[in-house]
Amino acid sequence: MTTKIIMDTDPGIDDAAALTMAINDPSIDLKLVTAVAGNVTVDKTTANALKIIHFFGKDIPVAAGAEQPLIKPFEDAARIHGESGMPGYDFGNDYGQPIKKTAVEALHDAIMAEDEVTLVPTGSYTNIALLFSEYPEVKSHIKRIVAMGGSMSGGNMTSVAEFNVFTDPDAARIMYNSGIPIVMVGLDVTLKALLTKDTIEKLGQMNKTGEMLHALITHYNDGTDEGRPMHDVNTIFYLLHPEAFTTKKMWVDVQTEGPAIGATVGDVRAAYHDGKTNAEVGLDIDADYFNKWFLNEVSKMN
């Protein structure tokens, strides 16, 4: 049985790796990719999504989305992902064009055409917020949202804010208040599931896909001596292997102004929302399993 998903993304090196997994795993049916401004500008994130899909010879529609957050000024992460968003590998210039529909239109049409679909946002949530505001009827067709972003233990943009939420906190608040079941795959797990140096080295010796990922990952200005985080890949890993995660249901609020803007605040005692929850929050992960799974997935790709 396959899981039908739509990815809303901002490639970005780790997004490219997440797309690679989603495109190639037979348990996942990737219906649509929508791009949003985030790691780099939306023209570049759209082109990068097209490059990955073309690399694998797939026919998956890509739609361009929001150029900037709802309210907050746009701040990219080119310092981490390079000016193009995906440096290190030559994908050529013939990788196709996005469809003519906007991301919101494409999301609406794709969601309404399915009985139930899982949304997988791995960039800022601007497209998702615009979709819910313009077409609230789609909510009943969405099974759940598995979103990379947020943190219960400290941020990477400020001491409390993770990048995807920080980029558009107003959109994040709309998404978390949507009433749709959400799995929060945040820094609490992604900073533990580091691709080790050994894993990265093996990628480069594996096959054409491994060579491509190795080239991108070695240009990724994120990580430590212990390895490099593939933040967005953890959403796909969760879909396929939820048993590798430790999670807790709680209510998550998003701060949209002030010095804590972009913070995701969990009601860990269930004390402030009448016991209600709006998210299942990832708190821990089997990092060894993640590395083994990553290599195994790539080893099967031609």
Side-chain angles (χ1 to χ4, degrees):
M1 184 176 178
T2 59
T3 300
K4 295 179 289 188
I5 74 168
I6 292 170
M7 290 189 70
D8 185 72
T9 183
D10 63 339
I13 292 167
D14 54 329
D15 307 76
L19 276 169
T20 294
M21 301 302 176
I23 288 168
N24 288 284
D25 193 286
S27 297
I28 291 177
D29 182 6
L30 180 57
K31 295 291 188 181
L32 170 71
V33 176
T34 52
V36 67
N39 287 322
V40 286
T41 56
V42 73
D43 58 324
K44 294 176 181 177
T45 63
T46 303
N48 289 343
L50 288 164
K51 289 174 184 177
I52 294 295
I53 292 168
H54 182 263
F55 178 87
F56 291 108
K58 302 296 184 180
D59 185 20
I60 300 168
V62 175
E67 297 179 359
Q68 58 188 13
L70 297 179
I71 297 172
K72 184 176 172 289
F74 177 56
E75 182 178 346
D76 70 19
R79 70 192 186 285
I80 302 295
H81 296 266
E83 288 302 317
S84 72
M86 288 191 340
Y89 189 85
D90 184 6
F91 290 92
N93 298 314
D94 183 19
Y95 46 79
Q97 296 291 327
I99 61 176
K100 295 188 182 301
K101 294 178 184 177
T102 66
V104 169
E105 293 167 344
L107 284 165
H108 169 268
D109 292 351
I111 291 167
M112 297 303 288
E114 301 294 338
D115 293 329
E116 53 180 26
V117 66
T118 297
L119 286 186
V120 184
T122 63
S124 65
Y125 311 134
T126 313
N127 289 338
I128 307 298
L130 291 170
L131 173 72
F132 292 168
S133 298
E134 189 167 349
Y135 299 110
E137 65 271 18
V138 302
K139 294 180 185 179
S140 62
H141 291 255
I142 298 169
K143 181 179 180 180
R144 62 177 173 171
I145 298 171
V146 178
M148 192 277 132
S151 176
M152 294 290 130
S153 57
N156 57 5
M157 291 300 285
T158 68
S159 62
V160 292
E162 177 277 331
F163 176 77
N164 284 350
V165 178
F166 179 85
T167 299
D168 196 341
D170 300 280
R173 174 176 281 185
I174 289 171
M175 189 181 80
Y176 273 93
N177 290 338
S178 67
I180 299 169
I182 295 173
V183 179
M184 185 178 116
V185 181
L187 299 182
D188 309 279
V189 294
T190 69
L191 290 178
K192 295 173 183 173
L194 301 178
L195 282 190
T196 66
K197 288 183 177 180
D198 182 59
T199 296
I200 295 168
E201 184 178 343
K202 286 178 179 176
L203 282 175
Q205 303 166 1
M206 192 167 281
N207 52 28
K208 187 177 179 181
T209 300
E211 291 172 3
M212 179 270 287
L213 290 173
H214 180 270
L216 296 182
I217 292 167
T218 52
H219 282 78
Y220 190 30
N221 191 26
D222 193 8
T224 68
D225 290 339
E226 297 178 5
R228 303 197 181 192
M230 289 286 102
H231 302 285
D232 299 330
V233 182
N234 286 267
T235 58
I236 306 303
F237 186 50
Y238 178 86
L239 286 171
L240 296 170
H241 296 286
E243 72 278 6
F245 291 73
T246 300
T247 64
K248 181 178 180 178
K249 291 184 178 180
M250 65 181 81
W251 189 278
V252 175
D253 283 310
V254 180
Q255 300 303 298
T256 58
E257 57 187 10
I261 190 169
T264 41
V265 181
D267 185 1
V268 296
R269 295 185 295 122
Y272 304 107
H273 297 86
D274 298 321
K276 297 177 182 177
T277 63
N278 65 353
E280 186 164 347
V281 179
L283 298 176
D284 205 357
I285 189 171
D286 186 334
D288 289 339
Y289 190 7
F290 177 76
N291 274 265
K292 291 175 183 176
W293 167 81
F294 195 100
L295 285 174
N296 185 55
E297 290 284 289
V298 176
S299 72
K300 296 181 287 187
M301 299 177 193
N302 296 317

